[in-house]
Amino acid sequence: GGTKAVKLEESDPFDDTRSASAALARAEKAAKRAAANSGNSKDCDYHPEKVWSWEEAEAERIRLEITERPAHWPSNAELVPGPPLSWLPEGWRQCRQGTKLKYVSPDGTLYKEKDDVKKAVGANMPKDIGKARWEAYQWPEWLPKDWYKSTKHQSGYWKPIYVTPCRTRFFWKPAEALKCIAEGNVGVTGGILKLRPS
């Protein structure tokens, strides 16, 4: 009988520790899952960025590509044709004074350097997504007009993506989208894109 009691004394602490460790491990996994799914998990699955049709992209390009110097600009500021630089805040434009590139605010104030623009707008300065959004409405000649474009986060950067006409698949690279078109697999291959119902 004594031997049995010793076995219980030796085995119980081991079993309790093992049970406690297993419970702790389960709790940690549950906490990680809860953190990953915080908020509405269904909402987290939706693609958050605008998906541009060719018509929308063309309208945005025309809106941004001014061809005449605005009347309220400084008289010695020469218009640089084309869309604004991707890092410039909304409403800002680049211009030239002689051979030097300068920047004009929406109210017509002239700034010499990029750092001056940053100081002027503060927290409203676009992040890296500015370039990707700018690229999203630049429509390449090879992309059919019934496709779409958008932006998506990859490896720490925002990048343009090519979206199929059904808006359920996408490609990172032009070569992948062209291969899909050539092989007749549009809407079958590519990454899955989930858009919020309109």
Side-chain angles (χ1 to χ4, degrees):
T3 304
K4 185 177 181 181
V6 170
K7 284 183 178 179
L8 284 173
E9 289 174 1
E10 290 177 348
S11 62
D12 281 355
F14 174 76
D15 287 342
D16 289 343
T17 302
R18 184 171 58 186
S19 299
S21 298
L24 180 61
R26 288 194 298 271
E28 288 175 347
K29 287 182 180 179
K32 287 180 180 179
R33 285 195 300 270
N37 297 325
S38 59
N40 189 328
S41 61
K42 291 183 179 179
D43 287 343
C44 295
D45 292 338
Y46 290 120
H47 178 63
E49 293 300 306
K50 178 175 176 58
V51 177
W52 297 82
S53 67
W54 178 83
E55 290 83 4
E56 291 172 326
E58 183 68 3
E60 184 71 358
R61 183 189 65 79
I62 293 171
R63 182 182 77 85
L64 293 175
E65 290 188 356
I66 60 174
T67 57
E68 295 182 1
R69 184 179 69 83
H72 67 287
W73 278 22
S75 59
N76 59 348
E78 179 185 350
L79 173 69
V80 176
L85 296 173
S86 59
W87 60 265
L88 282 171
E90 177 69 23
W92 288 65
R93 306 289 308 196
Q94 65 270 22
C95 69
R96 288 194 182 279
Q97 276 191 324
T99 59
K100 294 184 178 180
L101 192 66
K102 305 290 178 66
Y103 312 102
V104 185
S105 69
D107 65 4
T109 304
L110 194 67
Y111 293 83
K112 294 181 179 180
E113 306 289 343
K114 183 175 181 178
D115 285 343
D116 297 329
V117 178
K118 288 181 178 180
K119 291 176 183 177
V121 300
N124 295 322
M125 195 72 180
K127 303 298 183 183
D128 65 330
I129 194 173
K131 182 178 180 181
R133 283 177 173 158
W134 176 80
E135 290 177 346
Y137 60 79
Q138 305 300 307
W139 209 267
E141 292 184 3
W142 62 265
L143 188 65
K145 293 180 180 179
D146 60 344
W147 279 55
Y148 296 83
K149 286 189 71 182
S150 187
T151 52
K152 200 170 177 66
H153 208 246
Q154 183 189 54
S155 303
Y157 296 92
W158 289 93
K159 300 179 181 180
I161 60 172
Y162 308 99
V163 182
T164 56
C166 57
R167 306 208 305 174
T168 60
R169 299 276 183 164
F170 75 93
F171 298 92
W172 294 104
K173 299 178 180 179
E176 295 172 344
L178 284 169
K179 181 181 178 182
C180 169
I181 294 170
E183 294 179 349
N185 290 326
V186 175
V188 179
T189 59
I192 296 175
L193 193 70
K194 185 177 179 182
L195 301 181
R196 187 183 300 278
S198 56

